[in-house]
Amino acid sequence: ESFPAWFHRALIFLVVSCPCALVISVPLTFFGGLGGASRKGILIKGSNYMDTLARVGTVVFDKTGTLTRGEFEVTAVHPDDFNEIELLHLAAHVEHFSTHPIGEALRTAFDEIAGHGIRANVSGCTVCVGNSKMMDAIGVKWNNCHSIGTIIHVAVDGKYVGHVVINDRLKDDSVQAVKSLKRLGVDHMVMLTGDRKEVAFDVEKKRQ
């Protein structure tokens, strides 16, 4: 037995105007996504940004503390004049007050020169600890190092005494995160760093 036309019109009206499952499921999906992200330490400002994230094709990472742990450790000591213990002791003494995280890797009246390093008076000697720019600035000829890592050069009273190699460790989940993003359709990933090109390439190689 066929239903009257008014019944069909009423049924269509109910389906169109009261799609309860759709009305409830959409916000719940957003709430679930925002909550799941927050449990992973990811803060998303709102549901509209989740829509944007679904269309992302490029992701830019900072290196230190994002892909890497930001926990620096000494991986090599290359003395020129002093022995390894003396060189490391001098570097650690000067870097003790550094505001840069690399200073903590060496553990802890000094002069910090932004972008170059630190100059301090240690037992009556002027000790300069920093990068190659600092060595150039004080007129000290420094030795190149082929080890992968951040190179900390040390000079005492204008004489080069060696360098220390410091490296950061890749986070355990960095590789998996990159692979997961690729599976989700993010085909272009960029890593930003102020570190040496060799260090950046080494991290890039490890995270693939």
Side-chain angles (χ1 to χ4, degrees):
E1 185 177 359
S2 62
F3 293 98
W6 65 264
F7 181 83
H8 287 285
R9 287 195 296 271
L11 185 61
I12 292 172
F13 172 79
L14 286 172
V15 171
V16 172
S17 63
C18 303
C20 297
L22 185 63
V23 170
I24 294 172
S25 64
V26 171
L28 279 179
T29 300
F30 283 126
F31 291 149
L34 292 170
S38 66
R39 285 193 293 274
K40 296 289 186 180
I42 304 168
L43 180 62
I44 302 175
K45 194 173 181 181
S47 57
N48 56 319
Y49 295 102
M50 292 189 70
D51 280 335
T52 302
L53 282 171
R55 299 190 296 273
V56 165
T58 301
V59 172
V60 179
F61 294 98
D62 178 42
K63 180 180 75 67
T64 305
T66 302
L67 291 173
T68 65
R69 299 175 65 88
E71 298 173 358
F72 295 91
E73 58 185 6
V74 174
T75 56
V77 180
H78 298 154
D80 254 35
D81 192 18
F82 293 8
N83 62 44
E84 291 188 5
I85 295 175
E86 289 174 328
L87 178 61
L88 193 57
H89 175 76
L90 261 182
H93 188 84
V94 173
E95 288 278 0
H96 177 74
F97 298 104
S98 173
T99 56
H100 195 282
I102 284 178
E104 295 185 6
L106 293 169
R107 258 341 296 165
T108 232
F110 87 108
D111 182 19
E112 184 164 5
I113 306 168
H116 287 69
I118 295 174
R119 179 171 51 231
N121 187 281
V122 180
S123 301
C125 298
T126 301
V127 181
C128 294
V129 178
N131 56 24
S132 57
K133 292 179 183 177
M134 186 172 203
M135 297 297 107
D136 291 338
I138 63 175
V140 171
K141 186 178 180 181
W142 48 276
N143 294 339
N144 197 15
C145 183
H146 299 292
S147 299
I148 299 298
T150 299
I151 311 302
I152 307 298
H153 299 282
V154 183
V156 178
D157 289 336
K159 180 181 179 181
Y160 189 71
V161 296
H163 56 266
V164 179
V165 183
I166 295 173
N167 233 326
D168 196 0
R169 289 185 296 163
L170 200 66
K171 282 184 178 179
D172 296 335
D173 56 356
S174 290
V175 175
Q176 186 56 48
V178 170
K179 288 181 178 178
S180 297
L181 286 171
K182 286 182 178 179
R183 284 198 298 268
L184 291 171
V186 179
D187 51 10
H188 189 205
M189 277 169 268
V190 179
M191 182 180 69
L192 301 180
T193 179
D195 217 327
R196 292 194 307 152
K197 187 163 55 176
E198 295 83 359
V199 177
F201 285 152
D202 186 59
V203 173
E204 171 70 15
K205 192 189 309 177
K206 289 176 181 175
R207 74 174 178 84
Q208 288 180 347

